[in-house]
Amino acid sequence: MIWAIVILLTMMSILVVYSSIGSLAYRMNKSTESYLFRQVGYICLGVIIIYFAHRVNYTIYSPLSSILFLISIPLLIYTLKYGSHINDASRWIKLPVINLTFQTSDLAKLALFMYMSRQLSRKQNLIKDFKKGFLPLIIPVGIICLLIAPANLSTALLIGGIALLLMFIGRVKVRHIMMVIGVASIPVIFLITVASHYYNHKDHVSKELPAVFSFGRFPTWIKRVQDFMYADKEDASYQIQQAKIAIATGGIFGKGPGKSEERNFLPHPYSDFIYAIIIEEYGLVGGTVILLIYLLFLFRSIRLFRRCPYAFGAFLAVALSFTLVIQALVNMAVNVNLFPTTGVTLPLVSMGGSSLLFTCFAIGIILSVARNVEQAEGKNLQLATQQTEEPVE
């Protein structure tokens, strides 16, 4: 089932990316076919990664998680200082040999959830204890989120939320989780308060921020919160307006593959706002099918969590599946203006390089858990059959 889901989403990715890449190809003075072949190449490489990752016994990721987690911390620090700066955000670094640019947050996210799965499985007897059970879990989460937040606040909040959800599933005390939510809500409330204070409600324009609030991406966060909270139909940000036009003109069955008009006006129609293009071309039916595919993936992963006999595999499968599905839901929510604008892409569908490969690696790990569960169930069934067979006299 998970293999079928991967095939369906990647096929949709090829169709929609090829349809929406025209504006980028024009700006870069390249052909749309070059981006199509690039996307197909990354998908083929991703499928190969899924296959080899699912053939590896998932238990090898338990000791490997600590190494990857320790590697991700200096990589995030290096990215903040020396990474590629785009829109005042330093999220990418370039590998010197293969000349591939990737977001270090993708590696950090994967390493963190592998490490958390290891800790949750090993500390179930101490999980209710604050010092021995809770702190070894929340400190790594805090480190990763704090290092990602300056360049990518939405990803940091997403990682933090999924980590707390994983802790809840892992039987961490609700009181401890609520304490973290209370502490984390302080900067969020501060951000909303500043956005409200420096907004002219009469003229519907943003006030000039003082110098103390003009560092890094803080002005961008303020503007996005203001656009989400106060903008009406006429004052909505340009990208939200274009996304709404794409969704409204798509109707029930859409305009048809390759017939999108908003792809020429919508910023990043091939990544952040690809779901709006899907609805424009394939209608409400197509958008609903994509949503149901992700929910089916979540359902299969939860079933796998309940069937897995070992705690590490169960936590690993549910953590990685929640990451992919919640990221997809956030992307859809942004496209339909339920959430403020973020840089979160649609997994397996949006055009991407390293992010697509890390997503495929995560799916390969989930399939590795599923493969070992099926093998264990097959052996148990065979043993039970042999024990119930009576010798013939």
Side-chain angles (χ1 to χ4, degrees), residues 215-340:
F215 61 91
R217 289 181 56 80
F218 196 81
T220 303
W221 301 339
I222 294 294
K223 186 67 171 62
R224 288 180 176 177
V225 172
Q226 290 172 343
D227 288 341
F228 180 74
M229 291 176 59
Y230 302 114
D232 53 24
K233 295 180 180 179
E234 290 76 20
D235 298 325
S237 64
Y238 175 77
Q239 50 196 0
I240 293 299
Q241 285 182 348
Q242 300 304 318
K244 287 182 176 180
I245 292 172
I247 293 170
T249 56
I252 301 297
F253 299 103
K255 297 178 178 179
K259 296 182 179 180
S260 169
E261 296 178 6
E262 288 305 309
R263 62 188 176 186
N264 299 317
F265 306 98
L266 189 62
H268 307 292
Y270 44 83
S271 56
D272 297 357
F273 286 90
I274 199 168
Y275 189 64
I277 302 299
I278 291 174
I279 297 179
E280 184 183 12
E281 293 190 348
Y282 300 93
L284 180 63
V285 173
T288 304
V289 169
I290 294 295
L291 174 62
L292 292 177
I293 289 174
Y294 282 109
L295 294 180
L296 177 60
F297 177 80
L298 179 63
F299 171 74
R300 297 294 296 188
S301 299
I302 292 175
R303 255 186 90 186
L304 177 61
F305 170 79
R306 299 179 65 180
R307 289 167 55 194
C308 188
Y310 302 107
F312 175 70
F315 287 128
L316 187 61
V318 78
L320 297 180
S321 61
F322 268 66
T323 303
L324 299 180
V325 175
I326 293 177
Q327 178 180 332
L329 294 177
V330 169
N331 177 272
M332 296 176 191
V334 169
N335 277 249
V336 299
N337 200 27
L338 290 177
F339 279 5

Side-chain angles (χ1 to χ4, degrees), residues 55-189:
R55 297 291 297 179
V56 176
N57 194 312
Y58 71 88
T59 55
I60 196 175
Y61 300 115
S62 180
L64 187 63
S65 63
S66 301
I67 300 173
L68 290 176
F69 175 74
L70 293 176
I71 292 175
S72 64
I73 293 175
L75 277 178
L76 288 173
I77 297 173
Y78 178 85
T79 305
L80 283 176
K81 193 169 184 180
Y82 301 107
S84 302
H85 284 264
I86 300 177
N87 297 328
D88 296 324
S90 180
R91 304 176 184 176
W92 298 267
I93 61 173
K94 183 174 289 187
L95 300 177
V97 178
I98 59 177
N99 201 29
L100 175 67
T101 302
F102 81 102
Q103 289 194 53
T104 49
S105 60
D106 290 330
L107 174 63
K109 176 172 59 178
L110 182 62
L112 175 65
F113 290 129
M114 290 169 61
Y115 181 77
M116 285 189 65
S117 300
R118 172 184 170 91
Q119 293 294 93
L120 282 170
S121 62
R122 297 178 66 185
K123 294 182 178 294
Q124 279 299 299
N125 295 331
L126 303 170
I127 202 66
K128 302 294 184 181
D129 187 87
F130 181 79
K131 291 183 179 181
K132 297 180 180 180
F134 179 68
L135 285 182
L137 287 171
I138 198 60
I139 290 176
V141 174
I143 292 172
I144 296 298
C145 290
L146 288 175
L147 290 175
I148 294 176
N152 198 342
L153 180 62
S154 56
T155 299
L157 292 175
L158 187 65
I159 291 173
I162 297 172
L164 292 178
L165 181 60
L166 185 60
M167 290 181 196
F168 177 77
I169 296 173
R171 300 191 307 116
V172 173
K173 277 188 176 181
V174 176
R175 184 173 73 249
H176 296 160
I177 296 175
M178 294 305 296
M179 179 184 65
V180 175
I181 294 175
V183 173
S185 64
I186 295 175
V188 176
I189 294 173

